[in-house]
Amino acid sequence: MSQAIPDIPPEAYLTKVLDHPNQVEFYVNITKESVPKPKKTTVLLEFYNRKKEKVFQETGQMMEKNANHYLYIFTINKDDIQLEKKKRNYDLFVVVEGKSSSLNLNEEFQVDHSNSFFETKDFMFLLSKSKENSAFLRAGYKHKINTVYDIPNHIHSIDFNGKEILVEGEIHHRFFKEKFPEATYFFTIKKKNGMYLKAPLIVDGDIFTAKIDTEVYPIFPKGKWELSIMVVHENDEYFYPCYVKDLREKNEIFEFHVPRYKDAVRVKVESSNGKVSAKTSLIHLVAHSVSADFGEDEVKLSLGFPLPPLMELLNGKEDELYIRLRERDSNEFINIPVELSKDNNIAFIHASVDYKQFLTGSLEWSKKWDGYLSSKVKESSFYNIRIKVNEDETIADLEGQYKTHHIDEYYFGEFHTTIYSNLSFKFAKMPFYRDASSYHIENNDLVIQGNALFEIPNSKETFDMNILLVNRTSEESTELPIELIGTEDPDNNGFITRIPIPELGKLITEFKEIIDVFFILKGDNFYRKVKLGLKEFDYFKDDVLLSFEGTMNDDKVAEYHLTTTPKGNLKVESFIYEKDIYNEIQDFKLKETDDDIWIVGERPDTAQDNGYQFFRFVRDNYPDIEIYYAIDPKARDKELLDNLDHVLDIGSRKHIEKSLRASKLIGTHDLEYFLPFKGIKVKNYQKAHIRYFFSMVYWAERTWSTIKFFINIHLIYLLFLPNMKRKWLKKNLVT
């Protein structure tokens, strides 16, 4: 029977709970102001579930009177507590003359003289408190393992011996032994995502011990962990939290450090509301002074640490100390022995790092190495402490670089601090700064200007700089010189290159081509090829930086568009036209038409995706719609279309004429694959309806029903099509 909880509270405090074989007693202090007539007033203790339904009630007896309160005892026969046969939480309330309040659990609770856990024939109860210090019971039905709630598992001690986490505690073993004798037990450190570390539980009476071997587990992520007893019953796992006996905050904190493959981990064990948890975090050590002296063959690194925290972390293992550098991508370490000296409260670490250690493996990309101060635990195990830098005091001391020529490349190395002030070392190719700043057509040349910098101090080698143009498809190329010019910035070399438009024409033979623009840097023992791009840019797919044309021969003309890739690199897109059709494009591109022409395409060399299926469907069922399929005439799938009409060879006169007048452009991929011009230059393209199909070759190859599904989806999507009403569409969906 549901009953509302009154809002005006008396003040009541739980002081003690006593467990007897057949009864349980609750001792409650109630302020005198809450009980004006103690001999005539009925005081009730009530249990409510989280739906605010009263499930149990007991009348209290006044036992004694003190200065500010009355002490009441509520004696409950255990057999009278009949609850739902499941896991539930029950809030405790005290009712005085129809007025109720939560029963508080605070410093008045007598921990040493109370039972926070008691049992009835059918239920197990654990006393807990909320964040607001209100008392509640966690109740579990005992006869099914999946309805058992918390049980009184208590942690007595937890420590780390250099390899194993050692745990000793108390388990309510008798209950499990009687109810589920075939169960097995483990101690676990468990995260909320389900990951856990475990060890078998060794039980002697109600006392258990466990040893978690940290070397068995390759990772020990930072974050919060729950300390639990895991019971395995009929191949199912059940987790029960561990507690300390003091329901108020247990002040004692266990803390230890665990060496891992990469970073040492600090484990801090504490309790909240009696429940024990562990918080893991990575250990770091702050260097108050640091310097890097870059010599010809090695860099000498010196660091100063406050002595007490260093000695505490090393824990007597300072005999075999190393600076360890971990490469981020490969997780490989370089071990560098160090010298340790002490002066007052400062420990000084000195190490010499040979540059040759970095000149191994692939050096195509820059490598970053994180710095650790490490002590050797055993032959192959290190205790790695991440080095942080007191950046305000020492960042200037890290300035400096090592630069070297190795095989056919130049490299540099430098120590630096990360955004989190961690010490790191970077080893990379010497940067080659180059970017275009302007471009224009002058005297039938494409003129590009910009800045370039590749500076090697103390190097006598001279370098040549050239522009390399490469056809992306045929890989035909041509190399052209650049001219260095003075700039106002002494650290940068200005450059200018003039690319004759006829030289571009020599690289193209097909209707549509792409030419990439590279910067070439060459020395006696050095070669570097990098793309030329813009330093600052906003990428827009249809954006054109510069358009120009060039004569191929008496019958053909090439149209060029200088554009960028998404990364800002320059490229030249080209189209080859017959002169008369090119003139038609120029005359027509700013005009608009009312033609209703649909062009469908995929990649230029295929006809097997949703675009092809859609085209076939429309041609078979709605022949009045003027729809065309565009494909490269050399495509491997061209034969699929040989018996169909309305097929356009990309680059043909008919393809260009229909594309100029198209009102609908429909594709599974980039429309540029089948457009015969740079669309943004054509007015009709700007106003055309553009739609993309999802590319679903895999599904289309499976079943016709799948094809029908996607056709129907896209037909619904294309409701804008002329003369197609919703009723017509619904009637004509593929069935």
Side-chain angles (χ1 to χ4, degrees):
M1 189 76 181
S2 177
Q3 178 178 324
I5 300 172
D7 295 327
I8 305 173
E11 292 187 44
Y13 304 92
L14 183 63
T15 63
K16 185 167 56 175
V17 177
L18 295 181
D19 182 29
H20 304 288
N22 300 313
Q23 296 176 326
V24 60
E25 295 173 336
F26 286 76
Y27 289 75
V28 178
N29 276 341
I30 304 177
T31 57
K32 285 187 174 181
E33 294 80 3
S34 302
V35 191
K37 299 177 181 180
K39 293 183 179 180
K40 297 182 179 181
T41 302
T42 301
V43 179
L44 302 173
L45 175 65
E46 297 181 342
F47 297 0
Y48 283 80
N49 63 25
R50 292 295 163 87
K51 296 180 181 179
K52 297 186 177 181
E53 298 170 339
K54 183 170 67 177
V55 297
F56 182 77
Q57 178 180 280
E58 184 60 53
T59 303
Q61 302 272 330
M62 192 184 77
M63 295 293 293
E64 60 183 59
K65 177 172 64 173
N66 294 308
N68 299 314
H69 60 262
Y70 299 111
L71 175 63
Y72 279 80
I73 181 172
F74 298 87
T75 303
I76 301 172
N77 291 321
K78 292 183 177 180
D79 290 342
D80 292 341
I81 305 177
Q82 298 298 321
L83 305 172
E84 296 179 81
K85 297 178 180 180
K86 57 176 64 176
K87 294 189 288 188
R88 276 288 177 89
N89 291 334
Y90 295 95
D91 296 315
L92 304 182
F93 287 84
V94 169
V95 181
V96 180
E97 291 189 334
K99 302 174 184 177
S100 74
S101 74
S102 298
L103 183 57
N104 292 321
L105 183 67
N106 55 19
E107 65 274 1
E108 295 185 9
F109 187 73
Q110 301 174 21
V111 175
D112 295 335
H113 300 90
S114 288
N115 302 104
S116 59
F117 171 81
F118 64 92
E119 292 181 71
T120 68
K121 182 177 66 175
D122 295 319
F123 294 93
M124 305 172 70
F125 294 89
L126 185 72
L127 180 65
S128 298
K129 69 172 181 177
S130 68
K131 293 180 180 179
E132 295 78 23
N133 289 328
S134 299
F136 68 95
L137 293 172
R138 294 167 70 85
Y141 184 62
K142 292 166 42 172
H143 304 297
K144 294 181 180 178
I145 195 167
N146 62 341
T147 57
V148 175
Y149 223 145
D150 292 354
I151 54 177
N153 304 317
H154 295 127
I155 297 291
H156 294 165
S157 67
I158 183 167
D159 204 353
F160 181 68
N161 65 4
K163 178 185 177 185
E164 300 162 318
I165 299 174
L166 309 174
V167 186
E168 182 180 333
E170 190 176 336
I171 182 176
H172 193 44
H173 188 232
R174 172 181 52 80
F175 162 73
F176 281 108
K177 193 173 181 181
E178 292 175 357
K179 294 289 184 181
F180 312 105
E182 70 280 12
T184 55
Y185 313 93
F186 298 87
F187 180 80
T188 64
I189 300 178
K190 178 175 176 288
K191 291 184 73 70
K192 285 187 177 180
N193 63 7
M195 175 188 177
Y196 60 79
L197 284 63
K198 71 175 184 178
L201 216 61
I202 301 172
V203 181
D204 183 7
D206 283 341
I207 300 299
F208 75 81
T209 57
K211 298 178 182 180
I212 296 180
D213 188 346
T214 59
E215 295 183 359
V216 171
Y217 298 94
I219 55 175
F220 200 166
K222 59 183 179 179
K224 189 173 182 179
W225 300 72
E226 295 177 351
L227 276 60
S228 306
I229 300 296
M230 181 176 75
V231 179
V232 180
H233 181 258
E234 296 180 350
N235 296 322
D236 291 321
E237 298 174 349
Y238 302 90
F239 294 87
Y240 301 97
C242 291
Y243 290 84
V244 291
K245 288 193 173 181
D246 189 341
L247 287 179
R248 298 167 305 186
E249 295 294 331
K250 179 83 171 177
N251 293 325
E252 183 178 0
I253 296 176
F254 305 106
E255 183 173 324
F256 52 89
H257 304 154
V258 179
R260 303 302 301 145
Y261 173 69
K262 187 173 70 171
D263 296 89
V265 174
R266 173 182 284 109
V267 182
K268 182 182 272 188
V269 181
E270 48 196 355
S271 66
S272 176
N273 196 17
K275 185 184 293 187
V276 185
S277 62
K279 186 176 182 181
T280 57
S281 57
L282 303 183
I283 302 174
H284 64 264
L285 191 63
V286 178
H288 284 194
S289 65
V290 58
S291 64
D293 183 10
F294 289 86
E296 188 171 328
D297 300 314
E298 62 183 12
V299 56
K300 294 182 178 179
L301 183 66
S302 298
L303 304 108
F305 297 97
L307 188 60
L310 174 62
M311 293 298 102
E312 180 184 349
L313 286 173
L314 295 179
N315 195 23
K317 299 182 177 66
E318 62 266 27
D319 292 339
E320 282 197 83
L321 271 182
Y322 295 83
I323 292 291
R324 300 191 85 207
L325 300 177
R326 181 185 66 87
E327 207 273 305
R328 291 184 187 176
D329 293 330
S330 66
N331 271 330
E332 295 178 355
F333 279 92
I334 292 177
N335 299 330
I336 306 154
V338 304
E339 294 181 4
L340 172 65
S341 61
K342 302 174 185 178
D343 185 6
N344 294 326
N345 279 328
I346 302 296
F348 293 97
I349 303 293
H350 306 283
S352 296
V353 187
D354 191 334
Y355 300 131
K356 293 179 182 178
Q357 297 181 83
F358 303 106
L359 293 169
T360 58
S362 174
L363 299 174
E364 185 63 27
W365 309 107
S366 65
K367 290 186 176 183
K368 293 183 179 180
W369 306 75
D370 294 326
Y372 296 86
L373 182 62
S374 305
S375 60
K376 203 167 189 179
V377 179
K378 57 182 184 179
E379 188 61 33
S380 60
S381 180
F382 288 85
Y383 186 80
N384 300 317
I385 305 170
R386 190 72 166 97
I387 300 174
K388 282 186 175 291
V389 176
N390 186 337
E391 191 168 342
D392 292 338
E393 298 181 15
T394 62
I395 188 65
D397 296 326
L398 287 177
E399 292 180 354
Q401 288 185 338
Y402 154 71
K403 299 167 183 173
T404 184
H405 181 250
H406 176 65
I407 306 178
D408 60 353
E409 262 292 357
Y410 283 88
Y411 296 92
F412 78 97
E414 64 179 8
F415 281 100
H416 66 281
T417 55
T418 69
I419 59 173
Y420 300 108
S421 298
N422 294 322
L423 181 67
S424 292
F425 182 77
K426 181 180 180 180
F427 192 78
K429 290 181 180 180
M430 280 297 300
F432 177 22
Y433 301 104
R434 76 283 167 209
D435 56 88
S437 57
S438 67
Y439 31 81
H440 63 278
I441 300 299
E442 181 182 298
N443 297 328
N444 208 32
D445 291 340
L446 169 61
V447 181
I448 300 176
Q449 288 184 254
N451 297 288
L453 175 64
F454 187 75
E455 184 179 4
I456 307 293
N458 304 320
S459 174
K460 298 179 181 179
E461 187 172 4
T462 58
F463 301 98
D464 293 327
M465 297 185 185
N466 293 314
I467 289 293
L468 180 69
L469 306 174
V470 180
N471 183 307
R472 188 177 291 183
T473 303
S474 68
E475 299 185 356
E476 291 290 324
S477 65
T478 186
E479 193 169 326
L480 301 169
I482 68 168
E483 176 187 351
L484 294 179
I485 56 178
T487 66
E488 295 181 359
D489 184 353
D491 292 330
N492 280 289
N493 295 311
F495 74 85
I496 183 171
T497 184
R498 301 177 184 276
I499 304 173
I501 294 177
E503 290 295 323
L504 293 174
K506 294 177 182 179
L507 295 177
I508 59 176
T509 56
E510 300 297 327
F511 166 67
K512 185 189 295 190
E513 303 266 28
I514 295 177
I515 298 171
D516 291 310
V517 184
F518 292 88
F519 212 115
I520 298 294
L521 189 65
K522 291 189 290 187
D524 294 336
N525 299 297
F526 176 77
Y527 181 86
R528 181 87 66 87
K529 181 179 83 170
V530 290
K531 288 188 175 181
L532 178 63
L534 305 179
K535 185 175 182 180
E536 296 180 0
F537 67 96
D538 293 315
Y539 176 74
F540 299 100
K541 185 167 186 55
D542 288 325
D543 200 17
V544 174
L545 304 176
L546 186 67
S547 294
F548 52 96
E549 63 182 67
T551 301
M552 298 293 289
N553 52 46
D554 293 340
D555 300 321
K556 293 184 179 181
V557 63
E559 185 177 59
Y560 302 98
H561 304 283
L562 182 66
T563 66
T564 65
T565 68
K567 293 184 177 180
N569 296 318
L570 293 179
K571 64 177 181 177
V572 178
E573 299 179 32
S574 67
F575 297 88
I576 299 176
Y577 302 105
E578 300 291 336
K579 282 189 176 180
D580 61 335
I581 194 67
Y582 176 71
N583 293 331
E584 183 178 341
I585 293 173
Q586 303 312 305
D587 293 339
F588 189 86
K589 65 183 181 182
L590 298 181
K591 298 178 182 179
E592 296 182 22
T593 71
D594 294 325
D595 296 331
D596 187 28
I597 298 172
W598 305 4
I599 307 270
V600 181
E602 298 171 4
R603 290 186 295 267
D605 60 341
T606 60
Q608 53 184 272
D609 215 332
N610 286 336
Y612 169 67
Q613 301 296 340
F614 178 72
F615 168 72
R616 285 285 306 270
F617 173 78
V618 174
R619 288 301 298 146
D620 291 344
N621 293 275
Y622 310 103
D624 293 339
I625 296 176
E626 190 175 356
I627 185 172
Y628 296 91
Y629 190 88
I631 189 170
D632 189 322
K634 299 177 182 178
R636 63 179 184 270
D637 291 337
K638 181 66 164 57
E639 60 183 27
L640 296 174
L641 303 162
D642 286 345
N643 296 324
L644 299 176
D645 59 358
H646 283 221
V647 175
L648 302 174
D649 290 342
I650 292 177
S652 66
R653 182 178 298 271
K654 187 175 181 181
H655 176 224
I656 295 170
E657 291 174 344
K658 294 299 181 183
S659 297
L660 284 170
R661 294 163 175 79
S663 59
K664 310 286 188 300
L665 298 171
I666 306 165
T668 58
H669 298 77
D670 196 329
L671 296 183
E672 290 190 357
Y673 278 141
F674 61 88
L675 273 181
F677 42 72
K678 197 66 180 173
I680 199 65
K681 296 289 186 178
V682 177
K683 187 75 172 178
N684 227 43
Y685 168 85
Q686 297 176 27
K687 62 170 284 189
H689 292 290
I690 297 173
R691 289 293 182 267
Y692 288 96
F693 285 115
F694 292 111
S695 179
M696 291 291 178
V697 174
Y698 172 84
W699 294 107
E701 288 176 346
R702 286 297 186 263
T703 61
W704 169 236
S705 62
T706 305
I707 297 171
K708 289 189 292 185
F709 169 76
F710 283 109
I711 290 174
N712 289 332
I713 290 295
H714 290 303
L715 281 174
I716 294 171
Y717 183 54
L718 296 170
L719 276 171
F720 63 83
L721 302 179
N723 303 320
M724 282 192 174
K725 305 298 182 182
R726 288 181 181 271
K727 290 183 179 179
W728 177 92
L729 184 64
K730 184 176 180 180
K731 179 180 178 182
N732 289 279
L733 289 179
V734 186
T735 57

